[in-house]
Amino acid sequence: MIVGTTNDISGHKVVRYLGVVRGITVRSHSIVGNFGPSLQALFGGNITLYSSLCERAREDAYELMVAHAQQMGANAVIAMRYDANEIAAGITEVLAYGTAVVVEPA
């Protein structure tokens, strides 16, 4: 599966547009899970425990988007983007989306 943030894939031509695909994951962190990041926040800098949580959420959303594209018969996703929204305190939705297409070498 080729995934790109651009509207085309270099060296390929889009032969069929299949539609929008998405992968959504919703994550929360527990009270216990906030203890480590709270300590890191006291000292400033990168809060690696939250960075890891965010990266896992993005990866899960990405994999769900790719699976959705494969189910539609796509071999590529163009114009891929991420979005994130806080649904409630400590609960965040991460969305990966793009346009599923079939491409062939140019």
Side-chain angles (χ1 to χ4, degrees):
M1 176 72 57
I2 302 170
V3 178
T5 58
T6 58
N7 292 332
D8 55 12
I9 304 295
S10 180
H12 293 78
K13 64 180 179 177
V14 175
V15 295
R16 194 165 70 228
Y17 289 87
L18 301 174
V20 174
V21 289
R22 80 280 174 266
I24 301 169
T25 187
V26 177
R27 295 292 173 120
S28 69
H29 40 83
S30 67
I31 293 171
V32 174
N34 281 335
F35 182 71
S38 295
L39 285 176
Q40 284 185 323
L42 290 174
F43 299 102
N46 185 22
I47 303 174
T48 57
L49 295 170
Y50 281 150
S51 296
S52 296
L53 177 67
C54 291
E55 187 55 39
R56 281 194 311 273
R58 284 186 204 99
E59 185 177 330
D60 289 348
Y62 178 90
E63 293 299 329
L64 289 167
M65 179 201 64
V66 168
H68 187 202
Q70 289 172 333
Q71 290 170 0
M72 293 177 71
N75 65 355
V77 175
I78 57 174
M80 186 268 173
R81 302 285 186 271
Y82 286 107
D83 194 8
N85 298 295
E86 188 173 42
I87 296 172
I91 301 174
T92 303
E93 164 205 40
V94 177
L95 169 68
Y97 64 96
T99 303
V101 295
V102 176
V103 295
E104 293 178 350

